[in-house]
Amino acid sequence: MKIGVLIFPGSNCDKDAVWAFQNMFGQEVVELWHKDTDLQNVDLVFLPGGFSYGDYLRSGAIARFSPIMQSVIEFANNGGLVWGVCNGFQILCESGLLPGALLHNDHQKFNCKNVFIKTETNNSKITSLNEVGKALKIPIAHGEGRFYCNDELLQELKANDQILFRYCDENGNVSDETNPNGALDNIAGICNKNRNVFGMMPHPERAVDADIYNTDGRTMFESLLQLVNS
Amino acid sequence: MKYAAHINIMPHKALLDPQGKAVTGSMPNIGLPSVSNVRIGKHITLELEAANETEAKQMVETACTKLLANLIMESYEYTLVAL
C-alpha cells in the first residue's frame, strides 16, 4: 500500500505517521507538501496532527484551502481513502469531507494524556479488525477536540453507523467522566457516509510500537492494510 | 471603488463558549461581580476593490461563508463602508 502523509506548516505528527506506516507496517510512504498538487498515485492520504498554519482563524480552516487539499478533496470525492488524526480530523471537518466541527475543549485546557476509546462499529476500513465495545488506550493531545453537530446530523450519524469511536473508561463504559473534551455523545471519531474518509482526535499512530509500551492502535492500521492489500 | 468591511463573528448562543466562561469568572476579581454571560468572538476588518456595493457585499459574503466563519459553530454580521 502506498501512503501519502500530508505536511502543512505547523504539522508536528507527520514523522510519527511516517514511522508507523513505514517502520511498523512496512508500507511505502511519500511525504506530500501543502503546496504540492500531485498525490503521486497513493492508495491512502493521511492527514497528521499538529497546528497547521498556527491554528490561525480556526483549527484547520486555512489548511483546507491549501493546494494539496484541493487534490485530496477530489481524491476523496472519487472514493479515495483519507484518514485524518487530530488536526487532520479538524481539517477534514473544515473541508466538508466529514460532517460536524471541532470546538474548544469545554474546560479550556490542552489535554495531553492517554484516554480510552471504544470501537462502535466494525463497518469501516480502520475498525474492521477491532473488537466492538473493547476499550483501547490511545493518546490524545489537543485543545480543540469537542466534536459538535446539530441534533439532526447526530441522528444521521447514528442511523448510518458513522460513529467509529467514543471516549470511555478502561472497561468500555461511556459517561461524562470519561469525556476528555466535552464532545457531543463522547464522540472521538467518525467516518463519512460513503465510508472512505475517517477522522478521529486520538492518535493511534502513537500507539503502535512495543518500545513505548502501548500497541492498542495497531489494529486500526492492520484493519486498513488487510482490507486494502487483500 | 474601495470598501472596508468590519466583520463580527460570534459563537452560536446555544454553544458553550469556554473563553467567555473563563473571562466571566474573572470579573469578580476586578470588582465587577454582577457581570455575566461574557461571550468572545472575532472582529475582522478587511479592504477590497469592487465595482459597486452589491459586488462588495457578495465578496464579503463569500469570504465569511467560505473561510472567515464556520457556520456550524459561528454566525457573522458585517458593515461595509466606502473609502
Side-chain angles (χ1 to χ4, degrees):
Chain A
M1 188 176 190
K2 188 175 175 183
I3 320 288
V5 175
L6 301 195
I7 304 177
F8 300 95
S11 294
N12 65 8
C13 302
D14 44 304
K15 295 296 179 196
D16 305 46
V18 171
W19 169 266
F21 279 112
Q22 204 164 263
N23 298 63
M24 293 289 105
F25 296 97
Q27 303 301 305
E28 183 185 357
V29 179
V30 289
E31 297 182 354
L32 300 171
W33 184 232
H34 70 119
K35 286 185 176 172
D36 294 345
T37 52
D38 181 4
L39 295 182
Q40 299 183 33
N41 293 317
V42 297
D43 301 299
L44 170 105
V45 172
F46 187 90
L47 286 80
F51 301 85
S52 58
Y53 298 89
D55 272 356
Y56 294 161
L57 195 61
R58 295 178 308 279
S59 303
I62 300 177
R64 176 254 179 275
F65 288 102
S66 60
I68 195 79
M69 278 308 294
Q70 310 322 301
S71 304
V72 172
I73 290 168
E74 192 186 342
F75 176 73
N77 287 337
N78 287 327
L81 295 174
V82 179
W83 185 7
V85 163
C86 199
N87 188 225
F89 185 17
Q90 294 162 340
I91 296 167
L92 291 174
C93 286
E94 280 287 342
S95 68
L97 290 176
L98 287 174
L102 282 315
L103 310 180
H104 281 278
N105 296 348
D106 60 357
H107 44 62
Q108 277 285 50
K109 288 179 200 143
F110 186 95
N111 256 339
C112 185
K113 62 181 182 183
N114 283 319
V115 297
F116 289 95
I117 59 172
K118 66 177 216 174
T119 305
E120 291 290 308
T121 178
N122 279 139
N123 184 16
S124 93
K125 288 184 171 62
I126 63 166
T127 60
S128 61
L129 296 178
N130 287 14
E131 190 182 320
V132 171
K134 184 189 170 191
L136 299 168
K137 186 173 74 177
I138 307 287
I140 55 167
H142 62 249
E144 294 170 47
R146 178 167 46 122
F147 180 79
Y148 169 75
C149 65
N150 63 26
D151 284 346
E152 196 185 334
L153 186 59
L154 179 62
Q155 295 315 316
E156 210 176 290
L157 291 177
K158 287 179 179 173
N160 295 331
D161 203 20
Q162 287 174 254
I163 299 168
L164 302 182
F165 303 106
R166 294 171 76 205
Y167 298 107
C168 63
D169 66 13
E170 58 189 341
N171 298 313
N173 300 310
V174 173
S175 69
D176 287 347
E177 286 70 42
T178 65
N179 190 338
N181 52 30
L184 182 69
D185 222 26
N186 283 50
I187 290 173
I190 57 171
C191 67
N192 66 340
K193 211 182 271 184
N194 290 335
R195 315 196 87 76
N196 63 312
V197 181
F198 320 98
M200 59 195 296
M201 289 311 297
H203 287 269
E205 81 283 6
R206 295 186 189 176
V208 291
D209 189 339
D211 285 351
I212 56 170
Y213 303 104
N214 186 2
T215 55
D216 279 8
R218 289 189 71 94
T219 54
M220 293 162 220
F221 288 83
E222 286 160 358
S223 297
L224 183 74
L225 298 172
Q226 176 203 278
L227 277 165
V228 173
N229 289 337
S230 64
Chain B
M1 285 279 291
K2 195 161 193 181
Y3 295 89
H6 298 264
I7 303 162
N8 286 317
I9 295 169
M10 292 298 291
H12 288 322
K13 281 187 180 154
L15 294 179
L16 169 71
D17 169 20
Q19 278 192 89
K21 192 177 167 191
V23 172
T24 305
S26 78
M27 285 295 173
N29 301 341
I30 59 164
L32 298 173
S34 64
V35 171
S36 63
N37 207 20
V38 176
R39 294 187 68 76
I40 298 177
K42 300 182 187 97
H43 181 74
I44 297 173
T45 62
L46 56 86
E47 292 178 3
L48 56 91
E49 285 282 353
N52 51 47
E53 193 176 320
T54 307
E55 187 184 285
K57 280 186 176 172
Q58 280 171 355
M59 290 168 72
V60 176
E61 288 284 344
T62 302
C64 287
T65 54
K66 286 189 82 170
L67 178 60
L68 301 180
N70 180 336
L71 302 185
I72 296 171
M73 60 171 109
E74 299 163 324
S75 59
Y76 66 90
E77 58 180 20
Y78 61 88
T79 54
L80 198 62
V81 184
L83 295 176

